[in-house]
Amino acid sequence: MQNLPQRRASPWLSRRDEDAMAKLWVKFQRSFRRRPVRFFTLLALYLAAGSLVFLHAGFTGEPRVAGSQRSPGAGEGLGLPYLGGTRLSRGFPEVAVGRRRGHWFKGMAKEPAERSRAGEYGAVRSRAPKGRGSREKEEDRARYIGCYVDNTRSRTLRGVSFFDYKKMTVFRCQDNCAERGYLYAGLEFGAECYCGHKVQAPNASESECNMECKGERSSTCGGANRLSIYRLELAQESARRYGSAIFRGCFRQPDNVTIALPASQPMPNMSVDKCVDFCTEKEFPLSVLAGTVCHCGFPTTLFPLHEREDEQLCAQRCAGEEFESCGTTEFLLVYQTQVQDNRCMDRRFLPTRSKQLVALASFPGAGNTWARHLIELATGFYTGSYYFDGSLYNKGFKGERDHWRSGRTICIKTHESGQKEIEAFDAAILLIRNPYKALMAEFNRKYGGHIGFAAHAHWRGKEWPEFVANYAPWWATHTLDWLRFGRKVLVVHFEDLKQDLFKQLKRMVGLLGIAACEDRLLCVEGQKDGNFKRSGLRKLEYDPYTPEMRKMISGYIRTVDAALKLRNLSGVPDDYYPR
């Protein structure tokens, strides 16, 4: 048998190379024998890395589903009715929160929603359904009022108009009319936008306003000679600007105009700009036009600006500007100048330690920062916080640095909802907001800051559905916990505070033990937005909530509504329920 040549052990390495590798390995082993510290250090790092991976896997598991298990927050203590299998747990493991540095404000730690994954979602962009439902989306910028007849001889909205036969959307029309100071925006033929201060036409059938918008086929933009009209909520006050002034409305002349409006000047060639400039120079926040006389002053109990009149009563042409109205001697047109009303701007810490701790409690995104701004202006005292937020401290909330038990602040902001945390307070103002808007506001805060906005990539990515899955149950349990464990709880709905600030703020100040000064509250009305409110004009052009999300959130709304009524309180506002 023929002897075959013996194959080498390695076709790539020579004998010399193999000896060199063996020597290197022996040297490596000897190094660790001589210096065992190195070995144990690397071993410790390896074990630590493995532990972190294990913990991360625990946080990223599927959220717990309570199924038909009864939620203690929904059915115990207060005798709250059990409403089916509605899950009220947050959907993520409980995380201990430091009393001075909450995880959702510190920024250095991950949010619970980031640590808890509710599963992968595909495309999350949910287009609003066609027809009336999409026009009645719950948005701050506008409210749909109906379909109206329109024709070229007698326009329904007689302000400016513009057309865009490629990219017209409901949002674009509303935005352009609001920026020009109009009260109404209407769309026609799917591409035409009309603005106006008054609707002057009969109603038409809703089925006649069924043309798709050229730039957004999921929405409708009127019909043939039919206008889909929206009332611009922002335009009622802050959007109607003339130069540097803000339009406040038409009001009846007060009984004693010389006392209510201390400064005045006859102006034969009256115009809005002339009166506004005069009052600005005199350093008054209100500019009041009465025909050919310009008055200046402050909002007071003699002239509170609470009862508006029809603007047509003030529609008398200005002597110095034929396209403007300057009011009459009986009905006055009021503008707010850029002069700051300083009657409610002074703030300080409490002179003596407070005997009670009052919580300003809310779910994140429910307007807590805005409410703090209002309370500080109305009382003249700083508000505190259960957490510490350096950005808010830098913007004027000086109570942020005080410990929440210091007793130097008039109330303490908190988002906590545990029994131990709630029972630490002697009283509470419980601020509740529509969950659809609260969730979006908190999502914007999380990804865009206190007055910023989340990027569209976050809304369309997996972050938004995971956020809703984790935070929507918390919206319900937060309210249920405070109703169950709180002592002396005053419930305030964000929507009521926004609509009737004077009345609701007076209730809040009363709970804080401060005698409400009505002139100071009127001052707050003129400074109510401050620097802590997002611009209302930047909105999503689509509905981010899927039908499954809405079904889940509606169950939580019904639970909270029942809990409020069980305590003989008014239930949630009607607009909490999707239309």
Side-chain angles (χ1 to χ4, degrees):
M1 188 173 179
Q2 185 179 2
N3 293 327
L4 296 176
Q6 186 177 2
R7 187 175 179 181
R8 295 181 62 181
S10 173
W12 305 106
L13 297 175
S14 65
R15 183 68 179 178
R16 182 179 299 175
D17 294 332
E18 291 177 355
D19 292 342
M21 291 182 62
K23 291 179 180 179
L24 181 63
W25 176 246
V26 171
K27 184 182 295 186
F28 183 73
Q29 287 180 318
R30 288 178 178 174
S31 176
F32 276 112
R33 289 174 184 172
R34 294 173 182 173
R35 298 176 180 83
V37 176
R38 296 182 183 177
F39 174 75
F40 287 111
T41 300
L42 290 176
L43 180 61
L45 291 174
Y46 174 78
L47 293 175
S51 299
L52 291 175
V53 171
F54 177 78
L55 291 174
H56 178 72
F59 279 119
T60 57
E62 292 294 326
R64 295 173 296 170
V65 179
S68 60
Q69 184 179 359
R70 183 167 178 166
S71 171
E76 298 177 6
L78 288 173
L80 301 178
Y82 173 56
L83 303 179
T86 303
R87 179 168 65 90
L88 293 178
S89 64
R90 296 189 196 177
F92 48 79
E94 293 294 333
V95 180
V97 181
R99 297 198 176 189
R100 292 294 300 159
R101 294 173 176 83
H103 50 263
W104 46 76
F105 284 99
K106 186 62 179 173
M108 295 175 64
K110 291 290 185 181
E111 296 258 1
E114 291 179 357
R115 295 194 297 257
S116 181
R117 306 299 183 192
E120 294 298 325
Y121 288 77
V124 299
R125 177 171 179 174
S126 173
R127 289 182 176 271
K130 295 180 182 179
R132 187 172 180 177
S134 64
R135 293 191 296 259
E136 291 185 335
K137 288 189 296 185
E138 297 175 331
E139 296 179 344
D140 290 337
R141 67 169 177 267
R143 176 171 57 88
Y144 177 73
I145 63 172
C147 182
Y148 288 81
V149 176
D150 188 42
N151 60 70
T152 55
R153 294 184 179 179
S154 178
R155 287 291 181 190
T156 303
L157 298 176
R158 301 178 181 178
V160 300
S161 61
F162 68 96
F163 313 136
D164 190 337
Y165 291 94
K166 290 185 178 181
K167 298 181 180 180
M168 177 61 73
T169 65
V170 174
F171 173 81
R172 285 197 65 197
C173 181
Q174 294 172 356
D175 197 6
N176 279 274
C177 292
E179 287 183 342
R180 289 164 174 78
Y182 288 97
L183 287 175
Y184 297 95
L187 295 106
E188 188 176 276
F189 289 107
E192 300 178 7
C193 177
Y194 297 88
C195 310
H197 294 305
K198 188 176 181 180
V199 179
Q200 307 178 72
N203 283 88
S205 172
E206 289 293 327
S207 60
E208 296 179 65
C209 288
N210 58 0
M211 285 190 176
E212 292 181 344
C213 298
K214 298 297 183 181
E216 186 182 18
R217 300 204 173 194
S218 61
S219 301
T220 55
C221 290
N225 295 319
R226 297 293 184 268
L227 277 174
S228 296
I229 298 183
Y230 298 81
R231 180 175 177 84
L232 305 175
E233 303 296 337
L234 288 170
Q236 292 183 33
E237 290 186 4
S238 60
R240 293 188 63 180
R241 297 177 182 270
Y242 288 76
S244 60
I246 302 171
F247 179 74
R248 296 293 299 270
C250 177
F251 301 89
R252 187 180 294 272
Q253 178 180 286
D255 293 335
N256 195 331
V257 67
T258 56
I259 297 178
L261 302 170
S264 62
Q265 176 72 36
M267 293 185 177
N269 294 321
M270 171 72 83
S271 69
V272 174
D273 286 342
K274 289 180 180 178
C275 188
V276 169
D277 290 344
F278 172 75
C279 294
T280 300
E281 184 178 351
K282 295 293 183 181
E283 296 186 348
F284 285 100
L286 294 184
S287 174
V288 183
L289 290 81
T292 58
V293 179
C294 174
H295 300 286
C296 309
F298 298 91
T300 63
T301 53
L302 297 176
F303 195 48
L305 304 182
H306 284 165
E307 298 181 4
R308 289 192 180 195
E309 303 289 344
D310 188 339
E311 289 183 28
Q312 295 299 316
L313 297 174
C314 292
Q316 176 173 303
R317 184 176 63 86
C318 293
E321 180 56 67
E322 61 177 335
F323 296 109
E324 293 179 352
S325 295
C326 281
T328 67
T329 55
E330 184 178 0
F331 295 98
L332 314 178
L333 277 178
V334 180
Y335 293 85
Q336 184 171 324
T337 70
Q338 294 299 301
V339 176
Q340 188 177 63
D341 190 344
N342 291 320
R343 295 176 300 166
C344 58
M345 299 307 294
D346 60 301
R347 289 171 292 173
R348 62 190 187 281
F349 289 102
L350 292 173
T352 59
R353 182 183 174 88
S354 177
K355 296 181 180 179
Q356 64 173 358
L357 292 176
V358 182
L360 178 60
S362 74
F363 175 79
N368 199 303
T369 303
W370 181 54
R372 290 179 67 186
H373 166 73
L374 298 177
I375 290 173
E376 290 194 359
L377 294 185
T379 64
F381 296 112
Y382 289 121
T383 59
S385 177
Y386 198 79
Y387 320 99
F388 170 70
D389 190 327
S391 64
L392 291 180
Y393 177 84
N394 293 333
K395 291 180 179 179
F397 288 102
K398 300 303 181 184
E400 280 287 322
R401 280 192 174 178
D402 264 38
H403 190 275
W404 65 280
R405 285 186 177 273
S406 69
R408 297 206 307 160
T409 54
I410 193 67
C411 64
I412 298 97
K413 166 187 177 175
T414 179
H415 297 308
E416 302 302 308
S417 55
Q419 179 179 356
K420 182 179 179 181
E421 288 76 9
I422 292 174
E423 291 179 346
F425 294 96
D426 303 298
I429 299 170
L430 178 57
L431 189 63
I432 306 175
R433 187 181 186 184
N434 185 322
Y436 294 101
K437 295 183 179 179
L439 289 169
M440 294 179 69
E442 174 60 9
F443 191 74
N444 276 322
R445 186 208 65 80
K446 179 179 176 182
Y447 290 101
H450 281 285
I451 57 174
F453 293 86
H456 284 284
H458 292 132
W459 293 101
R460 295 192 177 99
K462 64 181 180 180
E463 293 92 344
W464 170 243
E466 289 178 353
F467 179 87
V468 172
N470 288 318
Y471 276 66
W474 183 17
W475 176 86
T477 56
H478 184 277
T479 299
L480 296 174
D481 283 354
W482 277 96
L483 292 177
R484 179 183 177 187
F485 302 116
R487 296 180 296 224
K488 198 178 178 181
V489 177
L490 173 67
V491 175
V492 177
H493 292 284
F494 175 87
E495 292 74 17
D496 294 340
L497 180 62
K498 187 176 178 181
Q499 183 176 1
D500 192 350
L501 186 144
F502 186 89
K503 176 181 177 181
Q504 297 300 325
L505 190 55
K506 191 173 183 179
R507 292 176 62 219
M508 296 163 69
V509 171
L511 181 73
L512 298 173
I514 302 294
C517 174
E518 293 195 359
D519 280 355
R520 188 167 185 122
L521 294 178
L522 291 171
C523 170
V524 177
E525 285 188 313
Q527 315 287 335
K528 61 182 181 181
D529 287 346
N531 297 320
F532 312 104
K533 186 177 178 182
R534 291 182 181 87
S535 169
L537 293 177
R538 180 177 174 181
K539 298 287 182 180
L540 288 177
E541 296 189 23
Y542 62 93
D543 184 359
Y545 290 100
T546 64
E548 292 76 14
M549 292 177 183
R550 288 189 174 275
K551 182 179 179 181
M552 174 184 64
I553 294 172
S554 293
Y556 299 142
I557 292 174
R558 288 190 292 270
T559 302
V560 171
D561 184 66
L564 291 170
K565 291 178 179 177
L566 192 63
R567 280 183 163 250
N568 296 320
L569 300 171
S570 60
V572 300
D574 292 336
D575 65 356
Y576 278 30
Y577 295 98
R579 299 165 182 164

